[in-house]
Amino acid sequence: LLLGIFRFGFLIQLISHPVIKSFIIASALLIALSQFKFLFDIPLQTNNVPEFLVSFWQYVRYSNFATLALGITAILFLVYIPAFLNSAFIKTRAGSLIFLIRALPLLLVIVSIGLMYFLNLQQAGIKTVGEIPSSFPPIAIPHWNMQMVIDLLPGAALIAMISFVESLSIAQATALQQRSNLNSNQELIALGLANISAGVTSAFPVTGSLSRTVVNADAGAR
């Protein structure tokens, strides 16, 4: 928050484009690898590529093929159905279906919920999110003292730095893709306010999400 108020957003300009591009690619790779444990329903180590390969070799034989089949079907749906609806063949007959294309991820979620409920796919070993608390988290000012601040400051500074780089990197990449202007100071202020809100609601530190930003951008978010 203070970085945004005192207009330190210019710091992102000191990071070269190749560095930002490499950071985004590496983050995307780790995010993709982290999803394999859900796709195969096996415990995988996804902190780095070597650990992932070793754990994948160890546990791949325990994969849940029902979960794998459902996951692959969903991936194929999200890849090929938008391409089909956006093809010249469909456009000449039905016109632009951009709204339907953007709503496909939501449609997939609704259909998958229906399949889980009516076909009782949990019996096949497919896991669900489970019960989600319906109430809001309690709002309270965290207890702290100076010793706690000293102990947590190094880790908090590192988290803040990574959050800064990740959030502004994906924001800059999205701005370039959409050919829009990026107000880095405004991004920092929003990030700071979000983390203050997280602090009083017992939430995790907040940062810009690579995967969710891409999904929102594809859905037409600005």
Side-chain angles (χ1 to χ4, degrees), residues 41 64 66-68 70 116 121-128:
D41 193 17
N64 186 317
T67 302
L68 181 61
L70 182 62
M116 290 295 299
L121 295 181
Q122 286 178 288
Q123 291 185 348
I126 299 178
K127 298 177 181 178
T128 61

Side-chain angles (χ1 to χ4, degrees), residues 40-149:
F40 288 83
D41 193 17
I42 52 178
L44 296 177
Q45 300 296 325
T46 56
N47 295 323
N48 53 64
V49 176
E51 284 187 1
F52 167 79
L53 294 176
V54 171
S55 60
F56 184 80
W57 177 258
Q58 290 176 340
Y59 293 105
V60 66
R61 61 181 179 273
Y62 301 112
S63 301
N64 186 317
F65 291 101
T67 302
L68 181 61
L70 182 62
I72 292 178
T73 302
I75 293 173
L76 294 177
F77 177 87
L78 292 175
V79 171
Y80 289 105
I81 296 301
F84 174 72
L85 294 178
N86 203 33
S87 64
F89 175 80
I90 296 298
K91 283 185 176 180
T92 55
R93 289 162 175 78
S96 177
L97 299 175
I98 187 65
F99 178 78
L100 178 59
I101 293 174
R102 290 176 174 176
L104 284 177
L106 178 60
L107 178 62
L108 177 62
V109 171
I110 295 174
V111 171
S112 62
I113 291 175
L115 291 175
M116 290 295 299
Y117 180 79
F118 291 107
L119 300 182
N120 197 16
L121 295 181
Q122 286 178 288
Q123 291 185 348
I126 299 178
K127 298 177 181 178
T128 61
V129 175
E131 183 179 356
I132 300 176
S134 58
S135 60
F136 287 101
I139 298 177
I141 298 177
H143 171 74
W144 64 277
N145 54 56
M146 188 54 62
Q147 184 60 45
M148 182 183 297
V149 172

